[in-house]
Amino acid sequence: MIWDPATAAPVSPERPVVVVGGGPVGMTAAAALAAEGLPVALVELSPEPRPDWRASTFHAATLELLETIGITDRMHAEGLVVPTYQFRDRRDGLIAQFDFRLLADETRFPYRLQLNQQHLVRMLAERLQRDERVRLLFGTRLTGLDITADGARLRLSSPAGERELLASYVIGADGPRSTVRGELGVGFEGFTYPERFAITSTSVDLQELLPDLGHVNYVADPQEWLFILRTPESWRVVWPVPEDLSADEASAPERLQSQLQRVAPYEPGYPVIDHQLYNVHQRVAAAFRVGPVLLAGDAAHINSPVGGVGLNSGIHDAMDAARRLGRIAAAAGHGLPDRGVDIEAELATYDRVRRTVAVEYVQADTQRNTDRLRETDEAVRRSHQDDMRAIAADPERARAYIRRVSLLESVQRFGVGTPPAELELEEAR
């Protein structure tokens, strides 16, 4: 059946906006929708808020968005403010350092905030549990999704049995293996890296062993690049795992110890707090919207973690979707379906803008960052080093570079949830 904006069901407690996925993107979407005054149902397979700790960086543009839903004070109370980051070479040491404080006149948050993503999930879940507009359906699996003429029908399964849930709109934030995306029949174009990435946490203070190390460090090396960063709980090290190495071999305690000792010798031996091995992809959904259903976060785009923008861009998706649905619901609630809000234009703009950001910023930058770290041609490696030194040494070039990596540039270009007419005016200038 074809969904028709002209007969779309208004958002109501009987037909809420349904968010599928309770990770940081889904939780942010639910909180932002509730802040818009909308009834929300959040469907999450896990029986409790997700404990996944992989992503840990919140950039300036993201903190500005999260501030609008009143969560950044709690994040700062538990997080670590990092104003600089380093580009290094494993053989040559420090190549360039970039300082986010160059953007102090452009943002209230001229730094990266390091905070493991599960803490944001916990904070938002605690808030949503107290919000009468929100139903949290933990331990619930989405088994089917049908688009109807006036919205969507979701089929759900939980220990309590099977049920159906009617929705006015749906936000699919259910990760890279998204059931929502699969039910829509939307392709997930791109590729998977042949190597996997390993991420290992230790309580040892790496700055005591490597005194000139920053809190966030991208370390180039043709044999084995590294990504080293500090979080409030620990130091993390990310490295590539050869494709011919089994998961058991790559995660063996003696191998983890050997890898960490190569980062910096530590005679007592490194305690390993946590370790994950995962496949890495560069993929973008063929469409971010089908009828009343929007895709967000990893359900819409996944990328290399080098740059720390995957989680951030997913949160931007969530905020963009919530603002558009808030405008749609407000117009319908005031009897103004034809004045000020064009439902089709709002949803089509979400698709166009968020997919453009995913392709032109997230995918392009993370691929470039990863290639730079693992470059094997010595002449090209030296050229990269010269480029990074030159950018860091020039305040204006450094400002432009940091503006882009902090996602401020994409927000300045497109906004987040900017009405379609305003975007058209900007593009016409």
Side-chain angles (χ1 to χ4, degrees):
M1 188 173 292
I2 298 175
W3 177 77
D4 184 353
T7 59
V11 181
S12 67
E14 295 72 35
R15 300 290 294 258
V17 179
V18 177
V19 177
V20 182
V25 173
M27 283 289 180
T28 298
L33 290 163
E36 294 280 348
L38 306 187
V40 184
L42 184 141
V43 176
E44 165 55 39
L45 178 59
S46 172
E48 57 189 17
R50 294 183 188 177
D52 185 26
W53 52 274
R54 188 180 304 170
S56 63
T57 292
F58 294 88
H59 286 296
T62 307
L63 292 169
E64 289 184 356
L65 291 169
L66 292 172
E67 185 182 37
T68 67
I69 60 171
I71 200 68
T72 51
D73 285 349
R74 286 196 66 185
M75 294 174 68
H76 281 81
E78 297 186 26
L80 176 68
V81 170
V82 179
T84 63
Y85 79 94
Q86 295 182 353
F87 180 76
R88 305 176 66 91
D89 186 271
R90 201 156 183 179
R91 294 178 297 186
D92 300 333
L94 178 62
I95 302 300
Q97 178 166 286
F98 295 92
D99 193 333
F100 287 95
R101 288 169 293 197
L102 287 171
L103 301 178
D105 61 342
E106 297 186 39
T107 176
R108 294 178 298 282
F109 307 105
Y111 46 78
R112 296 168 58 136
L113 183 71
Q114 297 302 124
L115 178 71
N116 290 349
Q117 68 177 43
Q118 82 267 26
H119 297 308
L120 176 63
V121 171
R122 166 179 52 82
M123 293 171 189
L124 291 175
E126 290 171 356
R127 173 193 291 184
L128 295 175
Q129 286 167 353
R130 301 189 299 268
D131 194 321
E132 62 182 12
R133 292 163 296 196
V134 180
R135 283 182 285 164
L136 296 178
L137 305 177
F138 286 110
T140 301
R141 179 188 298 275
L142 174 68
T143 60
L145 171 64
D146 299 315
I147 293 177
T148 63
D150 58 354
R153 180 184 299 108
L154 296 88
R155 295 186 294 280
L156 308 176
S157 176
S158 72
E162 311 294 317
R163 59 176 293 194
E164 287 191 347
L165 179 62
L166 297 179
S168 54
Y169 299 92
V170 177
I171 297 176
D174 51 338
R177 297 182 178 87
S178 172
T179 301
V180 173
R181 191 185 64 244
E183 289 290 314
L184 296 176
V186 171
F188 207 30
E189 302 157 356
F191 66 90
T192 301
Y193 286 92
E195 69 270 32
R196 292 147 296 163
F197 288 12
I199 179 170
T200 303
S201 293
T202 182
S203 56
V204 174
D205 186 351
L206 292 179
Q207 280 185 329
E208 291 187 357
L209 306 178
L210 300 168
D212 68 337
L213 194 70
H215 277 124
V216 177
N217 311 269
Y218 300 95
V219 187
D221 185 78
Q223 274 73 51
E224 185 183 75
W225 55 265
L226 300 171
F227 176 32
I228 305 172
L229 74 160
R230 182 78 167 91
T231 71
E233 295 92 343
S234 65
W235 280 86
R236 293 184 182 183
V237 184
V238 180
W239 59 76
V241 174
E243 56 183 315
D244 59 352
L245 204 65
S246 72
D248 287 343
E249 291 171 322
S251 302
E254 58 272 18
R255 177 175 171 80
L256 298 183
Q257 192 64 219
S258 174
Q259 294 289 115
L260 292 170
Q261 291 289 345
R262 292 181 62 228
V263 174
Y266 182 63
E267 187 174 353
Y270 283 90
V272 172
I273 297 174
D274 209 336
H275 171 73
Q276 289 184 15
L277 184 69
Y278 57 98
N279 292 319
V280 179
H281 315 263
Q282 295 283 113
R283 297 184 182 275
V284 181
F288 281 27
R289 172 258 175 156
V290 176
V293 183
L294 308 178
L295 298 176
D298 286 356
H301 50 88
I302 51 175
N303 54 270
S304 165
V306 181
V309 293
L311 168 62
N312 287 262
S313 59
I315 288 173
H316 295 201
D317 297 341
M319 296 296 295
D320 191 298
R323 290 177 177 181
R324 296 186 191 283
L325 295 178
R327 276 200 299 275
I328 290 169
H334 290 88
L336 304 173
D338 299 319
R339 289 173 52 198
V341 175
D342 180 328
I343 296 176
E344 178 61 28
E346 288 283 4
L347 302 185
T349 300
Y350 174 87
D351 180 44
R352 176 173 59 85
V353 168
R354 297 317 308 165
R355 196 171 191 282
T356 298
V357 171
V359 172
E360 294 187 10
Y361 288 87
V362 178
Q363 295 286 307
D365 289 359
T366 56
Q367 183 63 52
R368 186 183 305 113
N369 293 342
T370 304
D371 288 344
R372 182 183 290 130
L373 291 187
R374 63 182 186 175
E375 179 60 57
T376 59
D377 185 285
E378 190 63 22
V380 176
R381 280 168 41 78
R382 295 300 176 189
S383 177
H384 286 329
Q385 292 183 4
D386 291 342
D387 287 346
M388 299 305 283
R389 290 190 186 99
I391 293 170
D394 182 331
E396 286 308 308
R397 292 184 68 191
R399 278 172 66 96
Y401 180 81
I402 296 167
R403 188 182 295 116
R404 183 175 178 104
V405 301
S406 65
L407 298 180
L408 284 171
E409 180 185 316
S410 66
V411 172
Q412 289 165 356
R413 178 180 172 190
F414 293 111
V416 172
T418 303
E422 292 182 21
L423 277 171
E424 290 168 3
L425 287 172
E426 290 174 4
E427 293 173 355
R429 291 194 190 100

